[in-house]
Structures are given as C-alpha cells and as structure tokens.
Amino acid sequence: MYEELREAVCKANIELQAQKLVISSWGNVSGIDRAAGVVAIKPSGVAYNELTPERIVLLDLGGNVIEVETQNLASLQPSSDTPTHLELYRNFEAIGGICHTHSLCATMWAQACREIPCFGTTHADYFYGPVPVTEVMTKDEIESDYELNTGKVIVRRFANMEPMKMPAVLVAGHGPFTWGNTAAAAVEVAVVLEQAAKMALGTIMINPNKNKISQILLDKHYLRKHGKNAYYGQEN
Amino acid sequence: MYEELREAVCKANIELQAQKLVISSWGNVSGIDRAAGVVAIKPSGVAYNELTPERIVLLDLGGNVIEVETQNLASLQPSSDTPTHLELYRNFEAIGGICHTHSLCATMWAQACREIPCFGTTHADYFYGPVPVTEVMTKDEIESDYELNTGKVIVRRFANMEPMKMPAVLVAGHGPFTWGNTAAAAVEVAVVLEQAAKMALGTIMINPNKNKISQILLDKHYLRKHGKNAYYGQEN
Amino acid sequence: MYEELREAVCKANIELQAQKLVISSWGNVSGIDRAAGVVAIKPSGVAYNELTPERIVLLDLGGNVIEVETQNLASLQPSSDTPTHLELYRNFEAIGGICHTHSLCATMWAQACREIPCFGTTHADYFYGPVPVTEVMTKDEIESDYELNTGKVIVRRFANMEPMKMPAVLVAGHGPFTWGNTAAAAVEVAVVLEQAAKMALGTIMINPNKNKISQILLDKHYLRKHGKNAYYGQEN
Amino acid sequence: MYEELREAVCKANIELQAQKLVISSWGNVSGIDRAAGVVAIKPSGVAYNELTPERIVLLDLGGNVIEVETQNLASLQPSSDTPTHLELYRNFEAIGGICHTHSLCATMWAQACREIPCFGTTHADYFYGPVPVTEVMTKDEIESDYELNTGKVIVRRFANMEPMKMPAVLVAGHGPFTWGNTAAAAVEVAVVLEQAAKMALGTIMINPNKNKISQILLDKHYLRKHGKNAYYGQEN
C-alpha cells in the first residue's frame, strides 16, 4: 500500500543526509498522494541510516495514522513536526512534497530573523523574490499546538504569495521549510536554498549596502526555468 | 575488566575524529562506571587510529591509575586533561561521560570569551540557555595544578546551573567541554555544540543586534525533547 | 567526428563536479576547434553523471547545431548559456575553452558587484590584476537576447584588457566565466578563481583597509609563470 | 642515495594534499640531511599524485643540484621556491624540514599583513607567541633574486626569535612557511597553523576587541608540550 510513495519519501529523507543538510536525526521530508489524501512522513527520532520504506509513517490529512500491515510492525510515531506538514498540505494545494531541515546557513538567516534578499541569478532561478521569514510566534502559539501553529504562521506569511513560485520559508528563530511537486523536489529546493543562503551571507560581508537585483533580471531568470515560456533543459 | 566501559570510551574517542571535531591527537573522551567509581579515558598523545580498548586508561576518582593485565601491556599515561575530567565527575554526579575538543567554531567562541547565545531551536533542543564561558583563570590557577583548576573554574561557573540541562561549557581562551549520560552522549553534544556555535556566528554576522529567542520558545523546544513531558522520538 | 574535442569537453564538465564548483546541473564548459570553427558544449539541464562525449553538443560559431550521427541519437539542446560562449569565442581569439559556474565565493563577489582585488601572490600567479566585474545589464539587454548580451557586456568590459592575461570575469549579479587554451585550462582557472575569491573575502574581514599588492610583486608572480621569461615548472 | 630522506620528503609533500592544504601543484616541502649538507625538495610544477621518491630533487646548501642515477632519469627542476628553503636552512640551524603552502586561512592573514594573535591554547600548544608576518618586500628585493630575498626577509624577521619556538611565519602578501625537526613535522605545523588561523579569524569576528591570552597561559600550554618539563604524551 502506497509503496511507491513510501519509497520516494524514504529516498528523499536519506538524500537529506547525503546532501549534508542534516546531522543526527534532525530534519524530515514528507510526500502526499493527493488523490487518496494520504501523507507519508519520516518517523520521529529515527536515524537516516535506519530508514526503510516500511518505517515511513502514513497519515490522513487530519493527522490520523494509517496502520499498514508490513511484516507485522506497528506504525512508528510520525515526525514531531507532522502537524506543520499537514497544515501546509491543507493550505498549499499545489504542493506534493515538503522538506524541513536545520541546514547551516539557511538557519543562520532564520535565527537572524531576516529574509534572504535576491542578490543574484542563482537565487532567481528558484525563488521568485526574497525568501520570506515568518513572524516570531506568540506565547499562545508556542504553548499550545506549537507544531500546528508553526504551519499557521507560515500560511499567514503566504497570504499574498504563490507557494509554487516561492517554494521556501524561514521560520523565525527556527529554520527553513521547502516544498515542491514531490518529496524529491522539496529536497532539491532545500539544497539550493542552503547555497543561496551562503551566497547571500558572503554578499553582505563583501558589500553591506548591496541591493537586490532588478525585477527585470529576476523575471528573466525565474521565467527562463519556470512557466510556459521556459527554455532551460531538454523538455521545453 | 571494565571491558564494556573501555570499548564504549574507545569508540567514542574514535567518533571524535569521524565527526571532524579533532585533528592530530587533540581531544579526549572519558566515561565512568559510577557503581565501581572507575573512570576510563584516552591515553595522552595517542593518535585516534591507534586507539584500542586495551589502550584506554582506567583510574579511580582520586586519579590513581588502575593497572589491568591486558596482553602484558603496562598502562599508558592518561590524557593530560584527566584531572579536569575527574573534577567534573566528582562534582557533577549525574553525568556519565565527558568530551573535550578544540572543535573549530566552539573554540572561536571560547577564545572570544563570549557565551553562545540561544538564537534558535537547534540550540534550544540541547542546551537550556546560553552556553556559558568560564572566567579567565588566574596566575595561580594556571601555574599549579592547571588541569585540576580548569575543572574547578568549570564547577564554579555551574554554581547555579544544573549540568544535565546545560551539558556544555566553554573554557575561556581554551575550548569546549561537553558531557552526558555516557561517553557517546558527550560526543553527540560536542557535535551539536559545534553546529550551534557555527549557526550563532552566522547569526550575528547577518544581524549583529539579534536578541536571543524567548524563554517560552526555549522551554518549548528543550522540554519537547527532555524531561517527563518530552514527546520527541519513539520512546516517550 | 570531433571525438577528441567532445571527450575533452565532457571530461572538463565532469571535473566541475569533482572540484565542487557546481551543484545540480549548474555550470557548463565548452571547447573550440579553431581550425574547423566548431564549438563543443554541455547539453542544457543534463546531470554531470549522465554526461558522455556523445551527449556533448556541437555548433558552429553562428550558433547552428551540427548534427552528428552517433548511435542514432538526435542532438540534445545545447546549454542555455551557449550564446554567451559563442560571443566570447568570436571576440577573444586566443581562447580555446570557456567555463561558467556559480561557484560559491566567486559568485559572492559577482553578487556584491565588486571586482576581486589582487591581495596576494596566489591571485597574481593566475590573474594579472583585479578580476573585473561587468556593468549591471540594462532592461533592454536582459529582455531580448539575454545570453548573447551577457557575452557582449563581458567583451565590452575587456575593451582595454587582454583576455589571456585576465582569464576570468564576474558577471554582475550572476557569477564567473573563466577561459584558457583548452576546456581543461578554463576549469583550472575556475578552481583557482574560487580559491582567490575565498582568500580575498577573508583578507578584507581581517583587514578591511587592506590595499592590493604592488605592481612589482604582481609582475613578478604573474611573469614567473607566464610569458617568455617564465621559470616555473619543468618545461621552461 | 639519500633514499630515506627522499622518501620522507616525498611522503610529506603528498601529505600536503591529503590534509587539503594545497590545490593543483602549489606548495612544497623539503628536508635536510645536516651531516651531509644535502637538501631534498619537491620538483617544480609536478602534481602530487605523480610524485615518487625518485622525482624528489637533491641539492647542496649552495643550491647545486646533485645528480643521482635513478633509473636513468635526469634530475627534475627543483621547486622555484628552493632559494627560500636554502636560506632558511643556512640560517636556522636547528630545523630539519620546511613546508610552504598557500593554505586558505593562513594566506588570508598573510594577505592582510597581520600577525596571527595568540587567542587560545590551541595556538599556544605549538606557537610561543603571535605568528609573525614579514615586512613587505621592496622593489629591489622583488626584482632580483626574489626567492632568495623571500628567505632573507624571513630571517630578518626572526632576528630576535628562536625558530624552534616559533615554527611558522607569514610572508606578507604571499603565504605561510612552517618548519620543524623533519619534513613531516613541518607539515604537521602547517596543519595546525591553518587551524589556528581559522580560529583567530572567527575570534575577531565574534569579538573584534579580543586581546591575546596572558603570557602565563601561553607559557603553561607551550611548555606543557615542549622542553624539559613537558608532560604531554607517552614519552616524557
């Protein structure tokens, strides 16, 4: 049941470690089967080298674990960040996979509570503007349903943005979430976000007064790779 | 005799190198058998790839080497930092393992004589507040019983802190010590400390006026992973 | 046909990844057979570990793809940056290979729109002066024939410079292009440029008022390795 | 002839690359047989993975190449930095090996023309004070006998210092030279210097007003590892 989804999600989680975006058991990736309304996500606190498709947890969009009889194993506990993922899936209908890491440099920006400015075409190729940072969460938001509320502050930040044109957010004082069509795509965005975050940090060290690139160059690069007039790669 | 302890301590020392926390023969990890009052520690100046459980040195809490007949080898000299470890074991009764490194970024903060502020949840997941830095040692403390006094300034710094809630310290002008239930746990904390130290450095570069996170978010993340109401992982 | 050229260009592209100058399918290397007027370049959006000499695209200097019957495969689309490469080959007659990356630190300088000063002999061994940055491209230059115009702003920047004495440029808000006698030489310059960019960043962090080195030291090091009086290596 | 010396020097050069202190064919290590007055050094411009003991060049202290019949190969050209090495051997009688690199962070300090302050015990364990930087070389020193004069400015800088207590120097605008009892020891110092240079850079970023450590702590750490009262390691 949902073998393909679980395999894809398992593989995407393992890729987090291969890409050096996580240490220990930090970070988690999920994917969704939109037709079935089923989400697959990393189990909580399990090391990446112990992940197998059978250990990936299945849930419905309401957060109920779906028990699957696989080699007589009971389902593991899903990632403690699961309510955040579910809130994003419920509100961002176009997305098919979500990735959360504490990757080094993106987390620096999240901790600094500063959005990552679009300083160049590397950034513009993937993110259609600065990567936003959420508001700092309130006492109430933290003390009850913290992980669900983490999702809510992200959704609130995207009130006027299209998630598929800005596939990343920095949760203030915490770290990045990224997304895409699939679990694998969400991880790819996490890799690029970390690179863009590094480049932006170096940019302000070299030139603290640097402005973002022009809207025209942003349009050019983003639309060269995305949308109906894209002309990058082999399939346009 | 104490084979299990020596194996665990040997493995934890080797892990230091795998985690890139040490170069050359710098750094040392110890573990304690509380029931027996026996400490196992790295021998002084021995390269990590030459470590075997038989070469791990055993001592009592008073610093007397316990000779163990293993393949007719005399005991090696224990790490020159042994008196620091023993002072911590004598005073921090809850701890079972200690790790000392000169890991790059934690050492930068130690050399700068600044505590590492809690700027985010990565930090809060492991350290219940800023990672403290000791006082600069006095002439007398340095000139006689330097390593013992290193332990004493650490203990003094923890007069009003619980070591198991703050499993790390920066010795001013020197580097970090970390601890945990076991030798392996102490190394895990050293890995996370290095990551938190890197993130904090980047954070102040991006936003020099950044304040620490709120006590509420600190409580939330620390207590999500620690204590009786923890809900992270598979065993809560 | 042009097997040797395609093999050299394929190998140079793969070297980009081995040298950690690129992630994903970013970056591209080309080479030219000047006698035949034939350019070989990476196909667009193809991962480095899927590159083979047969997949390298051939074009004439006017940008027309040269179909080669290789195992009945139709030619792939050339790199979207091809018009930039062609413009450089048309104008810089001495060069035989071109490399474009978004390598981390060189891109920081490009994004900061600052030339890389010559702070030391590492830089002077390869670059005869500061590595220049182009003007920011205009609205018109971006909106039509963007990649061709990228080539034109580079050529304009070199109005009074000799490309073989300054084998690198930073495109403002974008990233570096490098070149040399061959595709492999262009990649070697890209490796050194990244190193020089890192060193220069560290230099201004340690000493923000640091001046460039003297013209005399620049001459000494550059001419020790280049030109008729060079005396470095085994073949002078 | 001098097989052991050549093997040691070959191995030390290869170690430069393993330790990531060099890229391309940059950097060179030499060793001396004091009794015979024979120096062994890396050939110029040869890649590290092509080095063999037979390709290591032998010279007397006057710089004359000593031809050795090894498999009928003529001697290669010695490193272009050979006159610098020879000048150091002639003036620093206690040293047995020399290493020159453009290692990333030590070169940043050299380019910034700032000595590396002793901010902590990692530094103090190897260097008895700040790592000095030479004067900027004059026009005359650069234009004739540049490499010999590089040695002379180093020697001049050490007029009041003991080379074995300060086994490293930064040549202004260039990079570090290190030395020790043997070629291998010189490389070990280069590794530690790079680490100390990184730590010092981070230290001033965290605390720009940080002072060096006290003379007392410097004495303690340096003398814990060096001289007749040393008590680190297994052989004191």
Side-chain angles (χ1 to χ4, degrees), chain C residues 105-119:
Chain C
C105 213
T107 301
M108 290 171 183
W109 287 90
Q111 292 193 159
C113 297
R114 278 188 62 178
E115 63 178 29
I116 306 176
C118 180
F119 284 138

Side-chain angles (χ1 to χ4, degrees), chain C residues 20 119-123 125-126 188 191-192 195-196 198-207 210-211 213-214 216-217 220-221 224-225 231-234 236, chain D residues 23-26 42-46 76-78 80-81 102-105 107-109 111-114 138-139 142-143 146-147 172-175 201 204-205:
Chain C
K20 305 198 177 180
F119 284 138
T121 61
T122 315
H123 183 119
D125 280 342
Y126 286 76
E188 188 193 336
V191 171
V192 175
Q195 199 78 350
K198 276 186 202 161
M199 286 176 178
L201 175 50
T203 302
I204 60 173
M205 287 162 64
I206 295 169
N207 186 346
K210 183 66 184 59
N211 289 318
I213 60 171
S214 68
I216 297 153
L217 185 56
K220 178 70 199 178
H221 267 265
R224 186 166 89 149
K225 281 204 172 178
Y231 58 95
Y232 180 90
Q234 298 300 328
N236 304 304
Chain D
I23 62 172
S24 183
S25 64
W26 305 355
K42 179 172 179 293
S44 183
V46 173
L76 295 172
Q77 295 289 330
S80 54
D81 295 316
H102 290 200
S103 75
L104 198 60
C105 214
T107 302
M108 291 171 183
W109 287 89
Q111 292 194 158
C113 297
R114 279 188 62 179
T138 63
K139 182 170 185 298
I142 292 168
E143 285 184 344
Y146 171 65
E147 290 82 4
H174 188 154
L201 174 52
I204 60 172
M205 287 163 64

Side-chain angles (χ1 to χ4, degrees), chain A residues 106-129:
Chain A
T107 302
M108 291 172 183
W109 287 90
Q111 291 193 160
C113 296
R114 279 189 61 179
E115 63 178 29
I116 305 176
C118 180
F119 284 137
T121 61
T122 315
H123 183 121
D125 280 343
Y126 285 77
F127 308 105
Y128 194 47

Side-chain angles (χ1 to χ4, degrees), chain A residues 44 77 102 111 146-147, chain B residues 122 210 221 224 231 233-234:
Chain A
S44 183
Q77 297 288 330
H102 289 199
Q111 291 193 160
Y146 170 66
E147 290 83 4
Chain B
T122 315
K210 183 64 184 60
H221 266 265
R224 185 167 91 148
Y231 59 95
Q234 298 300 328

Side-chain angles (χ1 to χ4, degrees), chain C residues 10 13 23 40 47 58 66 78 85 133 135 138 140 149 152 154 165 180 196 201 206 220-221 224 233:
Chain C
C10 179
N13 272 287
I23 61 172
L58 296 175
I66 301 167
H85 289 243
V133 57
E135 291 178 293
T138 65
D140 283 355
N149 287 327
K152 285 184 189 295
I154 295 173
K165 285 195 176 167
L201 175 50
I206 295 169
K220 178 70 199 178
H221 267 265
R224 186 166 89 149

Side-chain angles (χ1 to χ4, degrees), chain C residues 96-171:
Chain C
I98 297 173
C99 169
H100 172 49
T101 77
H102 289 200
S103 74
L104 197 61
C105 213
T107 301
M108 290 171 183
W109 287 90
Q111 292 193 159
C113 297
R114 278 188 62 178
E115 63 178 29
I116 306 176
C118 180
F119 284 138
T121 61
T122 315
H123 183 119
D125 280 342
Y126 286 76
F127 308 105
Y128 194 47
V131 176
V133 57
T134 67
E135 291 178 293
V136 171
M137 291 170 74
T138 65
K139 183 170 186 296
D140 283 355
E141 284 171 340
I142 292 168
E143 286 184 344
S144 64
D145 293 326
Y146 170 66
E147 291 83 3
L148 173 62
N149 287 327
T150 300
K152 285 184 189 295
V153 294
I154 295 173
V155 171
R156 211 158 66 214
R157 186 68 187 77
F158 275 71
N160 299 305
M161 278 190 290
E162 229 177 287
M164 286 303 283
K165 285 195 176 167
M166 180 48 64
V169 71
L170 307 174
V171 177

